[in-house]
């Protein structure tokens, strides 16, 4: 039996890199490549860091493609600068050259080609905005039939969003950043028949990155992945930092860790609530992850990253 095919689309935040690492440790999955969307990052260091990470963990055969899309509401520069920090971590700069290939085609073109040439349906693991996927669908609408599902870290259903009014005047705080970056793209995806598995703030808010977890990684830093992950989390530990993208990616390996509910939903594309995903009778039915077994989850990460 062939392995499930997964194509990842991340946007260069600290947890995006660690979600990429986690995906590469899943032996039962065949990753097709990594697309980097220029959202929660500066794109060149984010692309470089992604390629260096794949080199570090022995996955330099996995191609990387740079998306050329742009969002409506840019992430704050303070958030995006982490891509420079990660790109300069010593553990990623032990070699003079990068082996992981950077494709000449754009990320959206790579998605089109990967789906059109795949011999089975493909899961899209998206940990940033949906803009690159939406643009790929505009380029080749036929690829919708090849998408098994989109597993997406995004949205806030029954809790407030994380778009702060102090940073984005005129907004009501109901949207989550990956959705807010390009609400029109989210709205577009919601008009398709593609199955959606949503990992929203409702769940991620309950799963923080803790000092205890980071200390555990430190105790096994002889493993390159644990060393790298520990360094990344040490950068963000003074903040209220949560397992956003890593938690969503874990669903691919262990859906049994989670409970979920199906909700009929819609997307507000404009105005002071733009990007909000709301429950609405008759809307698109999506799977919304509800709870996770935290003990199993934390143990899984420690085990997976002991390599």
């Amino acid at each position: 039996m062939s392995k499930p095919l997964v194509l990842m689309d991340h946007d260069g935040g600290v947890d995006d890199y660690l979600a990429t690492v986690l995906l590469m440790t899943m032996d039962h999955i065949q990753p097709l490549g990594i697309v980097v969307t220029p959202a929660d990052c500066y794109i060149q260091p984010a692309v470089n860091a992604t390629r260096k990470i794949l080199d570090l963990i022995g996955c330099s055969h996995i191609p990387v493609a740079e998306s050329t899309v742009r969002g409506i509401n840019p992430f704050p520069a303070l958030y995006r600068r982490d891509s420079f920090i990660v790109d300069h971590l010593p553990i990623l700069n032990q070699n003079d050259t990068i082996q992981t290939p950077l494709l000449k085609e754009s990320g959206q073109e790579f998605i089109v080609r990967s789906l059109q040439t795949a011999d089975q349906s493909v899961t899209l693991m998206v940990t940033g905005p949906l803009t690159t996927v939406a643009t790929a669908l505009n380029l080749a609408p036929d690829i919708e039939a090849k998408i098994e599902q989109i597993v997406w870290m995004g949205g806030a259903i029954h809790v407030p969003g994380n778009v702060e009014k102090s940073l984005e005047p005129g907004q009501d705080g109901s949207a989550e950043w990956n959705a807010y970056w390009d609400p029109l793209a989210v709205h577009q995806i919601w008009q398709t028949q593609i199955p959606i598995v949503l990992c929203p703030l409702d769940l991620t808010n309950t799963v923080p990155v803790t000092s205890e977890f980071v200390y555990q990684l430190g105790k096994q830093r002889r493993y390159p992945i644990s060393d790298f992950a520990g360094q990344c989390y040490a950068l963000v530990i003074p903040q209220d930092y949560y397992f956003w993208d890593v938690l969503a990616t874990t669903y691919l390996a262990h859906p049994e860790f989670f409970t979920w509910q199906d909700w009929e939903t819609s997307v507000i594309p404009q105005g002071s609530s733009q990007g909000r995903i709301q429950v609405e009778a008759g809307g698109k039915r999506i799977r919304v992850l509800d709870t996770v077994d935290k003990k199993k989850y934390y143990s899984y990460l420690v085990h997976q990253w002991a390599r």
Side-chain angles (χ1 to χ4, degrees):
M1 184 176 179
S2 58
K3 295 181 178 181
L5 303 180
V6 176
L7 196 157
M8 186 165 202
D9 177 1
H10 79 67
D11 70 332
V14 170
D15 52 335
D16 292 273
Y17 303 123
L18 297 175
T20 301
V21 169
L22 182 62
L23 179 66
M24 294 302 121
T25 69
M26 296 178 183
D27 296 331
H28 73 290
I29 280 173
Q30 177 60 54
L32 296 179
I34 311 295
V35 173
V36 185
T37 292
D40 191 13
C41 66
Y42 290 95
I43 190 61
Q44 291 308 318
V47 168
N48 289 342
T50 301
R51 297 171 65 207
K52 292 173 185 178
I53 289 165
L54 293 172
D55 282 1
L56 175 71
I57 62 179
C59 293
S60 57
H61 60 287
I62 302 296
V64 174
E66 175 187 331
S67 170
T68 58
V69 303
R70 294 294 182 268
I72 296 171
N73 302 303
F75 274 83
L78 181 64
Y79 297 2
R80 299 165 63 200
R81 69 179 187 179
D82 285 343
S83 54
F84 279 102
I85 297 172
V86 174
D87 186 41
H88 283 78
L89 289 177
I91 194 171
L92 297 183
N93 290 283
Q94 302 174 75
N95 300 313
D96 293 331
T97 58
I98 305 175
Q99 300 301 316
T100 297
L102 175 61
L103 301 177
K104 292 183 179 179
E105 62 192 330
S106 69
Q108 55 268 37
E109 292 169 336
F110 175 55
I111 290 176
V112 170
R113 178 171 64 84
S114 296
L115 291 174
Q116 288 180 336
T117 59
D119 59 4
Q120 64 189 72
S121 59
V122 177
T123 289
L124 300 183
M125 181 68 238
V126 184
T127 59
L130 290 171
T131 310
T132 304
V133 176
T135 303
L137 285 164
N138 289 338
L139 291 173
D142 61 292
I143 64 173
E144 179 177 337
K146 295 292 288 289
I147 300 175
E148 177 77 18
Q149 61 183 343
I150 297 175
V151 179
W152 184 40
M153 190 280 117
I157 307 297
H158 301 294
V159 300
N162 58 5
V163 176
E164 300 175 18
K165 298 179 185 179
S166 61
L167 295 175
E168 293 293 305
Q171 301 306 303
D172 64 10
S174 63
E176 178 274 333
W177 264 106
N178 283 343
Y180 178 67
W181 195 73
D182 189 353
L184 297 180
V186 185
H187 186 264
Q188 176 184 336
I189 297 297
W190 250 243
Q191 309 314 305
T192 70
Q193 299 302 310
I194 301 169
I196 303 289
V197 177
L198 191 72
C199 184
L201 295 184
D202 308 53
L203 175 57
T204 62
N205 285 351
T206 70
V207 190
V209 176
T210 65
S211 294
E212 290 74 18
F213 176 78
V214 179
Y215 293 152
Q216 280 188 284
L217 294 180
K219 292 175 182 176
Q220 58 185 43
R221 70 179 297 252
R222 63 188 180 278
Y223 299 110
I225 291 179
S226 289
D227 193 11
F228 171 67
Q231 290 182 38
C232 286
Y233 284 134
L235 293 173
V236 299
I237 200 68
Q239 311 169 32
D240 290 329
Y241 206 86
Y242 298 92
F243 285 101
W244 295 294
D245 303 340
V246 174
L247 182 62
T249 304
T250 298
Y251 176 83
L252 297 177
H254 288 287
E256 74 278 7
F257 287 180
F258 299 84
T259 64
W260 56 76
Q261 297 185 60
D262 289 346
W263 292 96
E264 293 181 343
T265 59
S266 64
V267 178
I268 299 176
Q270 300 176 24
S272 62
S273 300
Q274 60 185 282
R276 180 184 177 189
I277 300 170
Q278 60 186 356
V279 174
E280 181 176 308
K284 182 177 178 64
R285 179 172 288 274
I286 64 172
R287 172 173 293 182
V288 180
L289 302 183
D290 190 34
T291 68
V292 65
D293 187 318
K294 295 180 190 177
K295 183 177 180 180
K296 290 181 178 179
Y297 170 71
Y298 286 117
S299 296
Y300 170 67
L301 291 187
V302 171
H303 175 266
Q304 285 298 103
W305 288 345
R307 60 181 79 188

